[in-house]
Amino acid sequence: MVVVAERQTSSAAGWSRRTAAFSVVLLLTVLVGHRLDLVETPVFLWVLAIVALLAAFALLFAGFALSRLWNFGDRGGRDLSVGALLALLVLAPFGVAAYWATTSPPLRDISTDLDDPPVLDTSDRTADMNVLSPPTPGEQRLQGDAYPLVTGRSYNLPFETVVDAVETVLDRRDWQLQGPYPETDGQSEVTINALARSFVLGLPADVAIRIADDGNTVIVDMRSASRYGRHDLGDNAARIVDFLGELDQEVAGQVGRRRPNEI
């Protein structure tokens, strides 16, 4: 009589599926919580690290279960497949972030004027946030090499017209203003401060936009500084380039609308 050994079900496959599923639920929960300001950013970053660790463990469990299936014929192919797929989906954004970290300079404070950056509003900054300091010569070189499009703007227009254009562009964004728009009467320089957030993770960054009339032209400079993290992954530079590009279009549109009335 031939005895056929019963195939075992791999416990590692089940752990792979459960661990990966938990990492997905935890990731979605903390993302929503952070977006709704229910989870503070430092806690959010720690939870992201835990999510990545859980997904990595899920892949390890899946690899061990696959070896058991291959060598001993254990059951659990569906569980390990689901676990591996979910883990890879969770780890994909971390892989993209790692790529950005290797292809962009380790900067977290970007300004169009490196010699005299616009002043940020620090009234609600806390001790656990990044320290604001003037850029070193090395950081200035890194920014200039990596982000050549991060440059200020100069307009041959009335001071009030440029300020209105800046405020119009700001109104289109969901940035949180750090106070009411400044009065322009009798002023030749104003600075508007706001709190912006990154598109995916909602990481906060302080933004300052300075509009100054030097007598001949109106100069617009902008600064964006991440509140947390040693590396902004290019977020601050992208924010400045996008805003000033839209400002160029808004200024051109305002000039176009004014000309028929001036004729």
Side-chain angles (χ1 to χ4, degrees):
M1 180 178 180
V2 179
V3 178
V4 180
E6 183 179 356
R7 295 175 60 190
Q8 296 182 355
T9 299
S10 173
S11 60
W15 276 109
S16 174
R17 177 181 57 79
R18 287 190 290 270
T19 305
F22 180 67
S23 70
V24 171
V25 173
L26 184 59
L27 176 61
L28 295 177
T29 301
V30 75
L31 280 174
V32 173
H34 187 247
R35 278 290 186 177
L36 298 177
D37 292 329
L38 301 176
V39 178
E40 295 184 354
T41 300
V43 176
F44 172 67
L45 295 176
W46 276 109
V47 175
L48 286 184
I50 294 173
V51 167
L53 187 62
L54 288 172
F57 271 117
L59 279 182
L60 288 176
F61 287 137
F64 182 73
L66 181 61
S67 68
R68 293 285 305 179
L69 265 68
W70 183 266
N71 294 315
F72 303 102
D74 286 2
R75 301 177 184 273
R78 178 176 297 178
D79 283 344
L80 80 85
S81 298
V82 172
L85 178 60
L86 291 178
L88 290 174
L89 289 175
V90 170
L91 290 174
F94 293 92
V96 173
Y99 172 77
W100 285 344
T102 58
T103 56
S104 56
L107 300 173
R108 58 195 182 191
D109 188 348
I110 303 296
S111 175
T112 59
D113 187 345
L114 295 172
D115 296 323
D116 182 23
V119 178
L120 295 170
D121 185 353
T122 60
S123 59
D124 61 346
R125 292 181 68 92
T126 57
D128 61 336
M129 298 179 184
N130 292 331
V131 177
L132 296 174
S133 59
T136 64
E139 290 173 337
Q140 292 184 13
R141 287 193 297 270
L142 283 176
Q143 178 181 316
D145 293 340
Y147 307 124
L149 297 180
V150 177
T151 57
R153 296 297 192 268
S154 179
Y155 303 108
N156 292 314
L157 294 169
F159 179 70
E160 292 77 9
T161 300
V162 178
V163 173
D164 288 343
V166 170
E167 294 175 356
T168 299
V169 176
L170 278 170
D171 289 340
R172 299 194 192 114
R173 297 169 182 261
D174 58 355
W175 297 355
Q176 178 183 343
L177 293 177
Q178 301 294 75
Y181 287 133
E183 296 291 336
T184 59
D185 293 340
Q187 302 294 322
S188 61
E189 178 177 322
V190 296
T191 299
I192 302 174
N193 286 275
L195 178 65
R197 294 185 178 274
S198 60
F199 177 69
V200 178
L201 299 181
L203 298 177
D206 288 303
V207 175
I209 305 167
R210 183 178 64 205
I211 308 104
D213 188 349
D214 67 356
N216 298 316
T217 59
V218 176
I219 300 173
V220 179
D221 282 301
M222 185 172 177
R223 181 182 181 185
S224 181
S226 301
R227 288 191 168 185
Y228 299 94
R230 298 180 179 180
H231 200 310
D232 68 1
L233 306 179
D235 178 65
N236 290 306
R239 178 177 296 112
I240 292 175
V241 171
D242 180 63
F243 183 91
L244 293 180
E246 187 174 345
L247 177 62
D248 288 337
Q249 297 178 2
E250 179 62 29
V251 168
Q254 287 200 11
V255 172
R257 290 192 294 269
R258 288 166 61 91
R259 281 177 179 172
N261 297 327
E262 297 172 354
I263 297 176

